[in-house]
Amino acid sequence: MKNLLNPKWLLVINTLPIVLLFLLFLSDYNIIKTLLSEENITYWKGFGFTLFALASVNLIYTIYCILKKQNISIYYAFISLVLYIIFIYQYNIHSTSILPWDIPRWMLSGDLLLYVGTFLMPTLAHSLFIIVIKLTSTNKNHKAWHSFLLSLAVPLVWFIFFQLILPFWRNVSYGFNEHALIISMVIGVIVFLFFLIRGIYILSIKKGVQWKKYQLVWKIPIAILFPLLGLLVNRGFLLDGFSTGSTGIFGDFNSAWFYIIAVVNGLFICLPNTENKIYRLTLYFGRSITLAYTLYFFIVFLPFLPLSVIAIIAVGVGFLMLTPLVLFVIHLQELVSDYSFLKQHFSKQLLITASVIGFLIIPMGLTLSYHNDKLVIHETLNYIYNPDYSKDYIIDTESLRKTLDVVLTNKDRRDDFIFGKQTPYLSPFFNWIVLDNLTLSDAKINNIERVFFNAESFNLRSENIRNSNVDISNISSTSTFNKAENNWTSWINIEITNANSNNFMSEYATTIDLPNGCWINDYYLYVGDKKEMGILAEKKSAMWVFSQIRNENRDPGLLYYLTGNKVSFRVFPFAENEVRRTGIQFIHKEPVTINIDNHELVLGNITNAAIDYSSQNEHVAYVSLDEKKTLTPVKRQPYYHFVIDASAEKQNLKDTYVKTIEQFLNQYPLNSNHKVSFTNSYSHTINMNKTWKTKLDEQVFDGGFYLERGIKKILFEAFDNMTNSYPIIVVLTDDMLSSIISKDFKDFKITFPESDLFYHLNTLGYVASHDLSNHPKKFIQDDTKIETGQSVLAWPDTTKTLAYLPNNKQPDIVLKSSSFEINEAKIKPKNWNSGLLLQGRWLSNILHPEHSENEWNQNVKYSFISKIMTPLTSYIVVENEAQKAILKKKQKEVLSGKKSLDLNDDTQRMSEPELFILLILFGLFLMHRKMRLKLNNY
């Protein structure tokens, strides 16, 4: 332990934590500074300067000691202990002046009011260790039991105080009582820990023969029994009600590895230190390996040390909280003893290298395990959200199940008290390695579980949008034609009135269907009397910020794409009878009609002189209404593509499937080569030849019925291998509602020009029609007939056809190449041609989502440059600079992570150890006050 006197430790124990603390506070201060009053800012500067001064003096002293090659002085330890305790105490007293309650907690990276104690606790513990070492000479024969007796006297004195003295306590003043009680408890904790650590230190340096002979008497309980007993108590054994839910009050330590390593670590500590150098080197290496385990629990329970005295009084096994501290001291001393012996036989470089390698084995093993979890979850997300439709996937479902269980555990904070279902420090480490400090939304977890395990963890609820009786009371539009670029720019200005008479805040929410070639490129919302222009932001960040602001009844407005060209438009909040003004700007090639809540507006002058609105570049083409009139209608040959439900527990339907398909083909014959896809978690397609029944019989039925994947793969293959034939999709299942379709197929609209319909053939032989573009799982008409013979338009002509377009009265966008790069120089602000390129890039990523992961940051950037909203971005209005700052911060987090990961579904206050301590102290003070009031009533 004397190595702790080395001043270099101060760089790790004091300087580094304070630097990290400053960075955390600076990051959050830059977000919320515009919401702070002058008084609040004064407190921030005052405490910041004080901590900076303490850290600077500490660093100067550290450098001085290093240069002078001096050990840390006991005077430093005493001064440091007193000053940092005073700082923490004063910080907590003035915490509401530093961070007022009206500051939204969702804007903060964590609980700043509790970070100070957490980051400064190592300095306090280190100072205490130094005092113990300095006041305990190794040349004297100290009695360990003296120190243990004095440490036990502290909780005994407290017990007597609470039972006998506190009931007769006479109040001097409210403030005096509060401060006196807390100060006395702080002093008591320091005295208790001093004598406890001193007793352990004395035990560890004993060198007598008798002492070595009987050292297992105390080593076995401390190194093996107490750690195992602590894990069991935390889990809920021995003490009913101590755990919370399925995990412990101090966190989730239920993994078998905690128990296995506890036993192995205990054995290494208890094994005798013989004079055999090979045996001793092996023991030294083993102890170095398990030091990571001992150090982990020491760090976890370090903030709880002040609570240990109270726990010993209140709970019979409260002493177990001290086990990590005691074991850490013993473990270090054993390693020092090993090193002192081994350096006589081996080089220092070898010993140091062995100890470093050993120490890193557990952390590296954990990191590699988490990295494998990352690969599995990323492969799974790629398969579901960014798939290569031409590639077959095999997901390691065993590893995926384990990874999802960890994600669910880390995500679930509903049973929290201190750490709840989190594993302290390891859960954040897992989130960093595996999820890039993001998460998976409840909906995505459900989707993954349904696809691969035919189950789900969450009962999702639809968002409660109170938009009844909130309607448009006035709407108008203005349009301007840009002759140079041959396109229109239009504003729609809207007044919305809340006719509700209740006291709840209401919301306006609707959807807008945009025509092809029409995009949103600006937005405004009046916040009070101030016109706030919309910010174009990354979509997930904007939606997260909107959700947080909405929870506080503040003033956000939001525009974002749902699927295809459907845009969600939301304004919140509306007070009773409130009228709010907002507006949206559109950029479009030719005159269009926009319908907003049954208010139809024509944007652009349809009576204008004849203009050729068609436009194209090397990658994308816009086919105008006039150009479509010149195209030749053609009829392609249809064929059936059967999608057979091969999910779990459907193997007993094999014979029924065969019989049903044969009856269907007799009733609706087509002279074509049909196809069959066996679909469960995956979708495997074969030609419908004589062997298809054999393939069905060999099919493995498991997982969920991932119909979305099956349909998208069919549409992609038909589009990618464009011929004069097209598929009619027929889904064969006994339960269409159990199929997995997360959203409609509007994004895939260019792949099914003939018809939006597909069909469900149930096991009784009935056929129902469904709409690919609108609620695909709901039937349109049951017991219907198959529709064939629809015509499409060949573009640009029938000889060299690049695309088939719907034969309707709507313009279309055509991909001339399914995958292409964009020259950034061609992206210009509020430019229609830039919008055409971005739309083409989006359609390209729909067909080839395997490229979207690498391109989405670039695509978001292009949207920002052009000021045109795309399905990856959103226009949002916020009311103050703090909200703009947090939006920017969240956007940076999202763009640095994986595309298919999410921000947290909700924001919850971080649970930290100091909160529990403060609650205990507050509870004791209330108990004292209650007793005093009772006595006064007598």
Side-chain angles (χ1 to χ4, degrees), residues 557-568:
L558 186 69
L559 284 160
Y560 62 95
Y561 279 92
L562 294 169
T563 60
N565 290 340
K566 185 180 287 292
V567 171
S568 175

Side-chain angles (χ1 to χ4, degrees), residues 678-695:
F678 304 113
T679 302
N680 42 42
S681 303
Y682 310 98
S683 189
H684 176 58
T685 301
I686 62 170
N687 291 320
M688 197 174 186
N689 50 32
K690 294 180 179 180
T691 64
W692 81 270
K693 297 176 186 177
T694 303
K695 295 293 185 183

Side-chain angles (χ1 to χ4, degrees), residues 401 404-414 421 439-450 455-462 902 905-906 908:
R401 180 69 271 174
L404 279 182
D405 288 341
V406 178
V407 171
L408 286 166
T409 299
N410 292 346
K411 184 183 179 70
D412 192 350
R413 302 293 297 263
R414 289 172 294 183
K421 293 187 177 182
T439 188
L440 288 173
S441 67
D442 295 350
K444 281 183 180 173
I445 291 176
N446 270 1
N447 203 29
I448 293 171
E449 289 184 321
R450 291 186 65 199
E456 55 186 34
S457 294
F458 297 99
N459 182 19
L460 301 179
R461 298 178 180 177
S462 57
D902 306 294
D905 296 322
D906 51 17
Q908 295 183 355

Side-chain angles (χ1 to χ4, degrees), residues 368-511:
L368 290 174
S369 174
Y370 286 174
H371 181 69
N372 181 66
D373 294 340
K374 177 176 183 175
L375 295 178
V376 171
I377 201 69
H378 278 203
E379 185 180 14
T380 303
L381 291 171
N382 286 339
Y383 172 70
I384 294 179
Y385 298 103
N386 304 308
D388 183 343
Y389 294 112
S390 62
K391 173 184 172 183
D392 290 327
Y393 290 78
I394 298 294
I395 305 297
D396 183 351
T397 53
E398 184 177 342
S399 178
L400 174 62
R401 180 69 271 174
K402 185 195 73 166
T403 304
L404 279 182
D405 288 341
V406 178
V407 171
L408 286 166
T409 299
N410 292 346
K411 184 183 179 70
D412 192 350
R413 302 293 297 263
R414 289 172 294 183
D415 295 328
D416 263 2
F417 186 33
I418 295 179
F419 287 110
K421 293 187 177 182
Q422 304 282 301
T423 302
Y425 303 111
L426 296 185
S427 291
F429 185 57
F430 176 92
N431 289 336
W432 176 54
I433 294 292
V434 179
L435 301 174
D436 299 318
N437 284 328
L438 299 172
T439 188
L440 288 173
S441 67
D442 295 350
K444 281 183 180 173
I445 291 176
N446 270 1
N447 203 29
I448 293 171
E449 289 184 321
R450 291 186 65 199
V451 168
F452 292 101
F453 308 106
N454 204 24
E456 55 186 34
S457 294
F458 297 99
N459 182 19
L460 301 179
R461 298 178 180 177
S462 57
E463 187 177 10
N464 181 25
I465 301 177
R466 299 187 294 270
N467 66 332
S468 59
N469 298 320
V470 184
D471 299 304
I472 294 175
S473 51
N474 189 24
I475 187 168
S476 61
S477 66
T478 58
S479 298
T480 305
F481 185 70
N482 187 331
K483 293 183 179 179
E485 297 184 3
N486 199 28
N487 60 255
W488 296 85
T489 299
S490 301
W491 274 102
I492 293 182
N493 303 294
I494 308 169
E495 286 187 1
I496 307 168
T497 302
N498 176 25
N500 288 302
S501 58
N502 55 47
N503 294 323
F504 295 105
M505 290 295 186
S506 297
E507 176 174 356
Y508 177 75
T510 190
T511 58

